[in-house]
């Protein structure tokens, strides 16, 4: 086996390994984006709850006075 054949095989293996790492990183990015979307929804939901509680408290104050 000549040096050229060895280099071709070596570079081919390196390309396959790089493709595997790109796939793994792509999956991880998708997981992080999903978690980000869920966290954003939870924050929006808690803000709306806070607004509702403050409105209810203001109405309660008006009725007590």
């Amino acid at each position: 086996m000549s040096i050229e054949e060895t280099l071709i095989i070596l570079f081919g293996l390196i390309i396959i390994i790089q493709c595997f790492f790109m796939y793994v990183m792509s999956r991880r990015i998708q997981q992080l984006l999903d978690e980000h979307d869920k966290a954003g929804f939870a924050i929006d939901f808690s803000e709306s709850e806070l607004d509702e509680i403050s409105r209810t408290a203001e109405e309660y104050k008006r009725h007590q006075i």
Side-chain angles (χ1 to χ4, degrees):
M1 191 182 314
S2 68
I3 189 79
E4 292 86 11
E5 291 172 344
T6 305
L7 285 175
I8 289 174
I9 292 171
L10 178 65
F11 290 147
L13 290 174
I14 290 172
I15 290 172
I16 291 171
I17 292 170
Q18 287 178 336
C19 289
F20 173 73
F21 281 123
M22 286 180 6
Y23 171 75
V24 170
M25 295 307 293
S26 171
R27 296 288 299 159
R28 183 61 182 145
I29 289 170
Q30 289 300 320
Q31 287 175 347
L32 290 172
L33 288 173
D34 290 342
E35 289 176 14
H36 179 265
D37 291 341
K38 289 177 186 176
F41 177 74
I43 291 170
D44 292 338
F45 184 73
S46 64
E47 288 177 350
S48 66
E49 280 186 338
L50 183 60
D51 291 338
E52 182 64 30
I53 290 171
S54 65
R55 268 189 257 116
T56 305
E58 289 297 324
E59 289 177 14
Y60 181 77
K61 283 183 193 177
R62 281 189 237 132
H63 291 299
Q64 290 295 328
I65 297 175

